[in-house]
Amino acid sequence: METINERIKEIIQVLYHGNASEFSRKANIKQPTLNTIIGGRQSKPSYEVINAIALNVKDVDLEWLLTGKGEMLKSNYMVQSQIANTIGGHNVNISSMPETGSQKIINEEGILVTRESWPSERTQLLSKISELTAEAERLKLENILLKNSLNDKDSLIRSKDEFIQYIKQSVNSKSK
């Protein structure tokens, strides 16, 4: 994807099946604002728009959104681990789901048993880790945007300095 506008369109296509209105609601972005970004006008999204995506569309990798590098979806999103195990002499598969703190056990007869397996403290710690990860992503985004803004301002200052030098040279050459 060449532009951030195209990457936002891809998010809408892949995660929301092309439904821009649903994306707008879920990302908490006003529909007219979204239309100027993905429509014919192709306006660049503001910090507020990017921040709304970062906060509300949590499975999108922010580095990919901003730069196009890497994969669209975070690699650790909705991770499930499969563990082969034996219980009471029977082979079973255990699928741990960290976000819910439960286990699904399927025995040889194909019977699915779900049970709570983690104490609430562990679930709370996972929730806190998730919150801190989201905050780190938000800060990463803010850092990238601030660096870009700083680079733009440095460029503007260089341009103004060059213009001032040009004016000084012009005045000096006329006064001689």
Side-chain angles (χ1 to χ4, degrees), residues 133-175:
T133 301
E135 177 69 6
E137 289 292 327
R138 187 192 66 74
L139 291 172
K140 182 179 175 184
L141 166 67
E142 189 173 344
N143 188 29
I144 291 169
L145 292 172
L146 288 171
K147 283 180 181 178
N148 288 341
S149 177
L150 188 58
N151 288 338
D152 290 345
K153 289 180 182 185
D154 286 345
S155 177
L156 183 62
I157 290 170
R158 279 192 301 277
S159 175
K160 287 181 178 181
D161 287 345
E162 290 170 3
F163 183 70
I164 290 170
Q165 288 294 22
Y166 172 76
I167 298 292
K168 283 182 180 179
Q169 289 173 354
S170 180
V171 168
N172 287 339
S173 67
K174 289 184 181 181
S175 65

Side-chain angles (χ1 to χ4, degrees), residues 76-92:
N76 62 351
Y77 189 73
M78 296 290 283
V79 174
Q80 290 189 358
S81 60
Q82 293 292 328
I83 305 165
N85 210 340
T86 303
I87 296 179
H90 298 283
N91 289 328
V92 295

Side-chain angles (χ1 to χ4, degrees), residues 26-29 47-60 62 65 74 131 133-139 141:
K26 297 269 173 109
N28 197 24
I29 299 169
Y47 168 80
E48 287 77 17
V49 168
I50 295 170
N51 192 43
I53 294 170
L55 293 174
N56 300 307
V57 188
K58 297 185 184 313
D59 48 340
V60 171
L62 292 179
L65 176 63
K74 294 178 184 176
E131 288 173 23
T133 301
E135 177 69 6
E137 289 292 327
R138 187 192 66 74
L139 291 172
L141 166 67

